C-alpha cells in the first residue's frame, strides 16, 4: 500500500510541477503615495511582462521615492518618476524593449512608459493618461507608448494633479509650480 502511494505521488510530481509552471503570476498592485493623495495601480504582468518587471525593479529599489510629477498637461496626462523637486534627473538603468504592440490602449486611467523618439528608450519614467489618448497607441508604421497597468483607485488624485498650475523650470515646460512629490511607490499586499 505504501509503495503504491509512493509511486502514485512520484508520478504526480511532474504534473504538479508542470501545472505550477503554467499558472500565471497574479497581476500585482502598487500604490503611488503622493503629497496630494494615493493612486492605486493594477499592473498587467500578463500583457507587458518586461515593462512590469522593469517598473517593479525600480519600485523595489526605492527609485521613485522623492521624485515628482514633473510634466502635467490637463486633459492629457501626468508624467513622473525621473526628476527630483530641484529638477535634477535621477540615474536609471538600461532602457527596455517597447511592448506597445500588446493591444492595450492609452485610455483614461492607464499607466504607460514615457520614452524619447527611440521606441526602445523607456527606463523609469511613466505617465498616467488623464483622458483617452489613442493617438499614443501602436499602429502600423508608428511605435506607440507601452501601457502596462491601470488606476484602480485614486483617479480623482490624477485629475487634481492634472489641474496644477504649471511653469517652465530649467528649460522644462509644464512643471507644476508647487512640487507634486511621489513620497514612495509600494507594492500592495495581496492579503
Amino acid at each position: 500500500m505504501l509503495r503504491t502511494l509512493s509511486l502514485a505521488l512520484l508520478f504526480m510530481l511532474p504534473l504538479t510541477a508542470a501545472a505550477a509552471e503554467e499558472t500565471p503570476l497574479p497581476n500585482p498592485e502598487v500604490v503611488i503615495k503622493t503629497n496630494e493623495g494615493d493612486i492605486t495601480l493594477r499592473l498587467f504582468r500578463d500583457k507587458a511582462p518586461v515593462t512590469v518587471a522593469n517598473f517593479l525593479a525600480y519600485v523595489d529599489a526605492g527609485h521613485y521615492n522623492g521624485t515628482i510629477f514633473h510634466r502635467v498637461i490637463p486633459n492629457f496626462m501626468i508624467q513622473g518618476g525621473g526628476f527630483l523637486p530641484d529638477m535634477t534627473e535621477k540615474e536609471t538603468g538600461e532602457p527596455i524593449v517597447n511592448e506597445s504592440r500588446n493591444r492595450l490602449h492609452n485610455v483614461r486611467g492607464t499607466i504607460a512608459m514615457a520614452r524619447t523618439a527611440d521606441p526602445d528608450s523607456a527606463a523609469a519614467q511613466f505617465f498616467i493618461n488623464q483622458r483617452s489618448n489613442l493617438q499614443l497607441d501602436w499602429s502600423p508604421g508608428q511605435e506607440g507608448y507601452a501601457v502596462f497597468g491601470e488606476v484602480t483607485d485614486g483617479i480623482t488624485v490624477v485629475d487634481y494633479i492634472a489641474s496644477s498650475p504649471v511653469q517652465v523650470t530649467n528649460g522644462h515646460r509644464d512643471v507644476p509650480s508647487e512640487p507634486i512629490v511621489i513620497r514612495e511607490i509600494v507594492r500592495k499586499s495581496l492579503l
Side-chain angles (χ1 to χ4, degrees):
M1 172 85 173
L2 186 56
R3 183 166 189 239
T4 305
L5 182 60
S6 295
L7 284 173
L9 288 174
L10 184 63
F11 287 118
M12 287 177 53
L13 281 176
L15 295 175
T16 305
E21 288 176 18
E22 291 178 17
T23 303
L25 293 170
N27 285 328
E29 291 186 314
V30 297
V31 180
I32 303 174
K33 298 182 177 192
T34 80
N35 61 329
E36 298 296 349
D38 293 351
I39 304 164
T40 303
L41 304 169
R42 177 182 302 112
L43 306 178
F44 301 136
R45 183 188 340 241
D46 55 335
K47 299 285 188 182
V50 172
T51 307
V52 169
N54 177 70
F55 183 75
L56 289 175
Y58 283 109
V59 167
D60 294 341
H63 172 86
Y64 296 116
N65 301 355
T67 61
I68 60 170
F69 280 101
H70 65 274
R71 186 170 175 235
V72 169
I73 304 173
N75 202 29
F76 182 44
M77 61 88 214
I78 61 173
Q79 181 175 335
F83 289 87
L84 296 171
D86 66 359
M87 291 304 291
T88 302
E89 191 167 3
K90 287 195 77 169
E91 295 265 337
T92 63
E94 291 297 313
I96 60 172
V97 65
N98 185 339
E99 292 181 298
S100 66
R101 292 180 182 217
N102 61 11
R103 298 190 184 270
L104 297 176
H105 299 286
N106 283 277
V107 295
R108 176 170 166 75
T110 56
I111 183 171
M113 291 305 294
R115 60 172 177 78
T116 66
D118 176 355
D120 297 321
S121 62
Q125 291 186 38
F126 59 88
F127 62 92
I128 299 173
N129 289 291
Q130 192 205 6
R131 68 163 191 164
S132 291
N133 295 305
L134 299 180
Q135 74 277 12
L136 301 178
D137 290 354
W138 178 90
S139 63
Q142 174 183 307
E143 293 297 329
Y145 291 79
V147 171
F148 66 99
E150 68 182 347
V151 174
T152 58
D153 190 32
I155 195 69
T156 56
V157 176
V158 172
D159 291 338
Y160 183 75
I161 292 170
S163 72
S164 300
V166 295
Q167 62 189 17
V168 175
T169 304
N170 296 345
H172 295 274
R173 294 176 24 183
D174 305 311
V175 178
S177 303
E178 294 295 320
I180 310 295
V181 179
I182 297 170
R183 293 184 173 135
E184 64 179 339
I185 302 179
V186 296
R187 290 184 190 238
K188 189 174 177 182
S189 171
L190 296 176
L191 301 176

